[in-house]
Amino acid sequence: MKINWGTAIVIAFVAFISFIMYFVISMSTDKKFDHDLVTEDYYQQELKYQDDINKVENAKKLNQNIEFKKTNEGIILSFPKDLNTNNIKGKVFLYRPSNKQLDFEMPISLSNHNLLIPDNSLLDGRWNIKIDWSYKADEFMFKKEFNY
């Protein structure tokens, strides 16, 4: 049986379309390739992004910014020593890019200038930390990516 060139082109197109359809269907139904957005309210967060930039710039103007140290007990965040701890308010948000069920948020409550994030709250791997805090009327933000 001989196949002419017109039949060969049709067979090649059908094979190519079949491959593409198989690829699209397998990628869209396989849970291994299911990825979520970073946050559920992505667009609202995007509208507030300029405020975050301003807060980061305010933090750079401080004499001393937040210091980040990894210890055996967990992570110690040291706030500037020249600020009164009673006037520091805000929250710490830890984001795990690989698993959103591990994300958590905690309020800032200081008795001295240090805040401890306990070791049992963190699993090994990559984390993003975002500290959104204020001192009196000024607002600041600290962001860092780290491996624990």
Side-chain angles (χ1 to χ4, degrees), residues 64 66-67 69 75-81 85 88 108-117:
Q64 175 189 2
I66 294 175
E67 294 179 8
K69 188 188 329 178
I75 295 173
I76 296 177
L77 303 171
S78 299
F79 285 82
K81 303 280 188 236
T85 58
I88 296 176
I108 296 173
S109 59
L110 302 172
S111 57
N112 57 15
H113 289 280
N114 296 331
L115 176 69
L116 175 68
I117 300 171

Side-chain angles (χ1 to χ4, degrees), residues 93-106:
F93 180 68
L94 280 112
Y95 165 71
R96 178 74 181 231
S98 62
N99 187 351
K100 75 177 184 179
Q101 279 77 29
L102 297 175
D103 297 354
F104 65 95
E105 185 175 302
M106 60 188 287

Side-chain angles (χ1 to χ4, degrees), residues 5-20:
W5 63 271
T7 307
I9 290 175
V10 170
I11 291 172
F13 276 133
V14 169
F16 179 72
I17 291 170
S18 299
F19 168 73
I20 295 297

Side-chain angles (χ1 to χ4, degrees), residues 27 30-38 40 97-98 100:
M27 293 298 282
D30 194 351
K31 294 294 181 194
K32 182 171 67 172
F33 302 112
D34 187 22
H35 298 290
D36 296 327
L37 288 175
V38 173
E40 294 297 325
S98 62
K100 75 177 184 179

